[in-house]
């Protein structure tokens, strides 16, 4: 009676759908960490990029956001099968499931359905993130196949992505049912996952004609759907075969005494002997993972051979276009070498055996790292020697020209390996480690490269961040061997993450704070002064300085008459000064403000120098009449320019005043000193006090209105010192540098007014305008300032504010010479 009741209960249980609800719950719980992990990492990438974009403006970490989000369902599909099937096979819980009164069909279908539901959840999540964060392009729909999908950086349309992820999911279940070892099944999944792309590339290769993106899209979709049709039934059969009854082992004699029997060879073999405790651990780590190490070495070799081939060609098409993808095998192999340290023989349940026998954590740690590090060192040596033999020129191969040095590659290898081995100790599950480690290694590498390039993070900081995960795993090794590392491992892990994230930010903040800011009291005073000076009612007049109308018609003839060429060129350079200042003379009774730019002043300066040369050569009345017109026009222009509230206007005025003083001193004879043009020009020359007042007004007004806009945001005015700052910090440092510029210029204005030889303000301007140069030979040094100003000033651009301030020309007493 009892037996019949039991059989009845088992029969009912086998056919009741609700009886396997616990099985659904078990599978869902087993898969939930993978879903949560990928969702958190994907959101982390989006948030990091948003923060960097807001903080750094245009200089942001450029990621193909839409493609990045679409990759995560594919990553889920890659890990679902090995996680639901491979992990249970390695732990032998699949054998326990096969003994339960549940059909093999239901076990296989339940696992597959849970995986497909998880894939659907990941797709819904990815599409929601794309819509919410507006990561895609609204003007292009990717729900079509064969359309123009390149606008957003998405190489395929959404149906192709979705169908391919389903194919990868089915292929992952197939290799997990067929191969017991999780790592081997994951390796076998890689060529299967890319098989539609490989087939598409082969078709493109043998078609012997270029194909449009839409055609390749259709071909890829066709191969993907074909793969789904093929892999679905073989996955089902592999699951039934695995869950079915195992074949009975064949009966063999207990002892084979043949001359070459395995038993005799085993008995006669001599056990290996080791002189240290470290050697057997290394020997065991090699022999227990020979297949894994061989695969990883093969991945490194394949990637190296692909690099050799790419360095020999300059065009990638057909099957050659797949070679860049093979380069990714190298960082992936480095990552998985790091994972192998604390998986397989380095797993906590295996190193516990060593801890019980008194092997120190330090010896165990170095023994586990010995083989992977030796493989990486040999690979780097091969790469370094090969890199020395190739020609690094674009004319040979753009790939070879861009190959990094051995030091750079070594740095990347250290980062990837260090992060991966830390993840393998932190995460207990092999599949989660295999998926999480490449993502975290990629994020960490990208962040450190960004910190070095954009934030000025020093080399020793990169080394500290690269070795921090290694130090963390070494510190946790004793607790890890005693299986008592939780929850301290989370605290140490947080410290590693904090160090990698905050250390570059700390260096950037320290670099930013090293530039002093303006005193708040001085700032308020200067802002009030700027508002008072900028509120003056002055009429703004644009001076029409024309010329070079036929510049491009002039062609230099090396065999022609040089003097004729010069006269022709000067003729095209001719400018009427009285016509240019006519508007200023018509408003002589008011305070008008003139404005001419550096290029306009170049024309004015060149024409006035031409008139001076003609006067020196001819010494006749027509030549003097033309030069007198230039003196008269310059005398009209000079005070109008000096009223400018633009700092660049004051710089141009200084150059015009230097030109007038030099002309009056060297080209005006004594007998013409009383002529009106000479007297007007002499009276137009300012004094140190008047120049200081105009310069101060221009500095504070320009600082208020040009160095920043109405909302207080600093505009992009060029300072040479900004070229030597980390690009990502320029936007933060620029306000401080302009505060320093204003402070130094105010000091220089006071020094020039008092005829002081103070070198402090000149040194500050040198640091802002000629960073890295030698001060004594710069435009602010004593060597250059001791020369006549007319010989050293620039006229075609404002190249360094204040370079003419406080020089001898400011204090000269004009005395017209008595000899022509």
């Amino acid at each position: 009676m009892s037996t019949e009741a039991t059989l009845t209960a088992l029969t009912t249980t086998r056919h009741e759908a609700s009886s396997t609800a616990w099985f659904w719950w078990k599978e869902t719980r087993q898969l939930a960490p993978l879903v949560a992990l990928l969702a958190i990492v994907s959101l982390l990438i989006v948030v990091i990029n948003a923060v960097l974009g807001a903080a750094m403006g245009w200089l942001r970490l450029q990621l193909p956001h839409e493609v990045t989000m679409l990759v995560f369902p594919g990553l889920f599909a890659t890990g679902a099968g090995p996680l639901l099937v491979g992990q249970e096979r390695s732990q032998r819980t699949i054998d326990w499931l096969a003994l339960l009164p549940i059909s093999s069909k239901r076990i296989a279908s339940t696992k597959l359905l849970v995986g497909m539901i998880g894939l659907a959840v990941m797709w819904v999540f990815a599409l929601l993130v794309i819509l919410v964060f507006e990561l895609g392009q609204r003007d292009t729909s990717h729900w079509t196949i064969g359309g123009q999908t390149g606008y957003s950086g998405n190489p395929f349309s959404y149906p192709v992505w979705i169908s391919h992820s389903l194919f990868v999911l089915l292929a992952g279940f197939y290799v997990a049912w067929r191969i017991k070892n999780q790592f081997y099944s994951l390796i076998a999944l890689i060529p299967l996952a890319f098989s539609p792309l490989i087939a598409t590339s082969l078709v493109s290769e043998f078609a012997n004609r270029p194909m449009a993106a839409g055609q390749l899209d259709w071909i890829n979709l066709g191969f993907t759907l074909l793969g789904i049709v093929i892999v679905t039934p073989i996955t089902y059969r592999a699951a039934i075969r695995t869950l079915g009854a195992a074949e009975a082992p064949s009966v063999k004699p207990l002892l084979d005494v043949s001359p070459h029997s395995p038993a005799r060879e085993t008995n006669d073999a001599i056990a290996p002997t080791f002189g240290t405790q470290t050697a057997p651990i290394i020997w065991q780590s090699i022999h227990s993972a020979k297949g894994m190490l061989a695969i990883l070495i093969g991945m490194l070799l394949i990637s190296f051979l692909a690099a050799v081939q790419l360095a020999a060609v300059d065009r990638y098409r057909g099957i050659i276009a797949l070679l860049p993808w093979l380069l990714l095998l190298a960082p992936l192999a480095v990552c998985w070498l790091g994972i192998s340290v604390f998986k397989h023989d380095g797993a906590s349940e295996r190193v516990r055996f060593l801890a019980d026998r008194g092997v120190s954590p330090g010896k165990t740690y170095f023994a586990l790292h010995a083989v992977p590090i030796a493989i990486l060192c040999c690979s780097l040596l091969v790469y370094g020697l090969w890199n020395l033999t190739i020609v690094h020129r674009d004319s040979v191969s753009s790939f070879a020209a861009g190959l990094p040095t051995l030091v750079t590659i070594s740095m990347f290898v250290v980062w990837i390996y260090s992060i991966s081995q830390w993840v393998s100790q932190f995460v207990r599950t092999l599949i989660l480690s295999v998926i999480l480690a490449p993502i975290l290694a990629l994020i960490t590498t990208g962040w450190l490269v960004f910190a070095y390039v954009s934030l000025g993070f020093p080399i020793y900081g990169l080394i500290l961040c690269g070795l921090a995960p290694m130090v963390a795993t070494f510190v946790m090794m004793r607790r890890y061997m005693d299986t008592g590392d939780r929850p301290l491992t989370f605290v140490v892990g947080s410290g590693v993450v904090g160090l990698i994230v905050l250390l570059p930010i700390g260096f950037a903040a320290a670099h930013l704070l090293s530039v002093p800011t303006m005193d708040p009291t001085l700032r308020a005073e200067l802002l009030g002064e700027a508002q008072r000076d900028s509120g003056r009612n002055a009429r703004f007049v644009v001076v029409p300085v024309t010329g070079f109308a036929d510049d491009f018609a002039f062609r230099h003839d090396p065999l022609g008459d040089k003097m004729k060429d010069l006269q022709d060129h000067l003729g095209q350079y001719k400018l009427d000064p009285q016509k240019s200042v006519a508007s200023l003379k018509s408003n002589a009774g008011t305070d008008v403000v003139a404005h001419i730019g550096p290029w306009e002043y170049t024309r004015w300066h060149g024409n006035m120098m031409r008139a001076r040369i003609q006067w020196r050569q001819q010494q006749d009345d027509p030549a003097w009449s033309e030069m007198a017109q230039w003196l008269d026009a310059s005398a009209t222009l000079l005070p109008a320019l000096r009223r400018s509230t633009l700092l660049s206007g004051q710089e141009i005025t200084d150059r015009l005043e230097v030109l007038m003083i030099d002309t009056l001193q060297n080209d005006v004879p004594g007998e013409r000193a009383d002529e009106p043009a000479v007297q007007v020009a002499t009276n137009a020359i300012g004094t140190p006090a008047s120049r200081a007042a105009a310069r101060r007004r221009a500095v504070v007004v320009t600082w208020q209105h040009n160095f920043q806009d109405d909302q207080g945001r600093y505009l992009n005015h060029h300072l040479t010192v900004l070229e030597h700052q980390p690009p990502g910090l320029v936007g933060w440092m620029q306000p401080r540098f302009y505060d320093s510029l204003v402070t130094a210029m105010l000091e220089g204005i006071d020094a020039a007014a008092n005829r002081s030889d103070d070198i402090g303000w000149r040194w500050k301007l040198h640091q802002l305008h000629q960073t890295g140069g030698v001060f004594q030979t710069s435009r602010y040094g004593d060597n250059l300032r001791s020369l006549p100003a007319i010989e050293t000033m620039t006229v075609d651009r404002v190249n360094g504010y204040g370079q003419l301030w406080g020089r001898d020309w400011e204090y000269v007493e004009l005395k017209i010479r008595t000899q022509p």
Side-chain angles (χ1 to χ4, degrees), residues 633-818:
S634 298
T636 304
L637 178 62
L638 181 62
L641 283 176
R642 187 62 77 182
R643 298 188 191 101
S644 174
T645 56
L646 294 176
L647 180 58
S648 59
Q650 294 297 319
E651 291 292 323
I652 292 173
T653 307
D654 288 341
R655 285 154 175 77
L656 178 58
E657 198 162 357
V658 168
L659 177 61
M660 291 178 62
I661 292 174
D662 186 75
T663 303
L664 293 172
Q665 280 188 313
N666 298 305
D667 290 314
V668 177
E671 62 270 14
R672 296 186 183 268
D674 295 332
E675 292 195 9
V678 177
Q679 292 298 321
V680 171
T682 303
N683 294 332
I685 302 299
T687 63
S690 64
R691 296 188 196 103
R695 290 166 181 168
R696 182 180 181 89
R697 180 177 65 251
V699 166
V700 295
V701 174
T702 301
W703 173 66
Q704 181 195 28
H705 293 287
N706 293 77
F707 292 165
Q708 58 180 325
D709 61 13
D710 295 336
Q711 280 97 25
R713 296 173 301 186
Y714 280 75
L715 301 176
N716 185 22
H717 289 275
H718 178 73
L719 282 179
T720 308
V721 68
L722 295 176
E723 299 177 358
H724 300 270
Q725 303 305 318
L729 299 180
V730 168
W732 302 86
M733 303 183 73
Q734 183 171 315
R736 292 173 173 263
F737 278 121
Y738 278 116
D739 287 349
S740 302
L741 175 66
V742 170
T743 304
M745 285 193 297
L746 292 178
E747 294 177 5
I749 291 171
D750 293 337
N754 299 323
R755 199 167 186 177
S756 171
D757 196 26
D758 181 21
I759 200 175
W761 68 273
R762 290 192 280 133
W763 173 259
K764 294 176 183 177
L765 290 183
H766 164 75
Q767 291 297 317
L768 293 170
H769 281 292
Q770 287 186 287
T771 304
V774 179
F775 173 71
Q776 291 300 329
T777 59
S778 72
R779 62 177 65 97
Y780 300 104
D782 294 333
N783 295 341
L784 196 66
R785 289 172 65 87
S786 62
L787 299 175
I790 192 68
E791 299 178 9
T792 61
M793 67 181 186
T794 56
V795 296
D796 59 343
R797 61 189 181 277
V798 178
N799 191 7
Y801 292 124
Q803 61 176 302
L804 296 175
W805 297 355
R807 298 175 68 170
D808 292 339
W809 70 269
E810 291 215 58
Y811 319 108
V812 67
E813 295 181 6
L814 288 176
K815 294 180 180 179
I816 305 304
R817 62 190 180 93
T818 58

Side-chain angles (χ1 to χ4, degrees), residues 7 95 131-132 293-294 393 560 599 602 609 668 670 675:
L7 292 176
D95 298 333
L131 292 176
V132 171
L293 294 177
R393 287 204 304 265
W599 288 106
T602 302
M609 290 299 297
V668 177
E675 292 195 9

